[in-house]
Amino acid sequence: MYPPGMYPPGMYPPGGSLAAYAPTGPGPGLVWGGVWTRLGALCIDLVLIVGSLFVVAILIAAFGAGTSAGSGASSGTSSTGTAIGLIWWLLALMYHPACWYVFGASIGQKVLGLRIAAASDGQPLGLGAVLVRFAVFAMVTLLVPLAIVSAIMLANDPFKRAWHDQVARSVVVKNA
């Protein structure tokens, strides 16, 4: 029925599993990006984003406070302050997908030697894959229970892929 050494699709040899056949690494000089390294990179990115928020808060405080004519009372945030806040939100939302598309990694990932690549050929991701990856990444990151499940899946996957990697068909690799 099947040649020796071949098994039906979805079947593994007795006592075997997919993990037993996973390569030890993605290529010469590279290893899969693990849970803790990726979490460290995310923390670095978070520090950068929150740090920029403090700078924006100072700018809004300096340029954004308006006074109403005649009353002398503060009327809230001016259009300049609103514009600064909206620009920050736009840049914060674009940070990960822009870095992934342009540089192949966010700043935190670059600092820790990680990069994102297409699982099929190791090339940089296209814009569509980056946007799909980011949509799932944002959902999973913001919903803590999903993030925990995704991290557990990443730890147990032979290629160290989280949900956003699987959907976008990407992998995260690190220089050995």
Side-chain angles (χ1 to χ4, degrees):
M1 184 148 106
Y2 290 100
M6 296 296 293
Y7 297 92
M11 301 276 308
Y12 305 110
S17 69
L18 178 61
Y21 297 98
T24 56
L30 298 172
V31 295
W32 303 116
V35 175
W36 296 111
T37 307
R38 292 171 68 160
L39 182 60
L42 187 60
C43 288
I44 291 170
D45 292 333
L46 182 64
V47 166
L48 292 173
I49 291 170
V50 170
S52 71
L53 179 60
F54 284 119
V55 171
V56 166
I58 292 169
L59 288 174
I60 289 173
F63 297 109
T67 56
S68 61
S71 71
S74 177
S75 64
T77 305
S78 72
S79 59
T80 304
T82 302
I84 291 170
L86 289 175
I87 290 169
W88 179 85
W89 273 108
L90 179 66
L91 292 175
L93 284 174
M94 289 177 35
Y95 171 75
H96 276 100
C99 286
W100 293 341
Y101 184 70
V102 174
F103 306 115
S106 68
I107 294 172
Q109 290 169 330
K110 283 280 190 193
V111 166
L112 296 181
L114 297 170
R115 77 176 172 87
I116 300 166
S120 60
D121 58 5
Q123 296 299 312
L125 295 180
L127 183 58
V130 165
L131 293 176
V132 166
R133 186 178 198 274
F134 178 69
V136 176
F137 169 80
M139 179 185 64
V140 167
T141 303
L142 293 175
L143 300 172
V144 175
L146 288 180
I148 293 168
V149 171
S150 185
I152 291 168
M153 289 178 59
L154 185 152
N156 292 318
D157 185 73
F159 303 103
K160 302 299 180 206
R161 294 171 299 168
W163 275 336
H164 48 279
D165 296 315
Q166 292 175 359
V167 170
R169 297 183 179 166
S170 63
V171 292
V172 177
V173 294
K174 180 180 179 175
N175 297 326

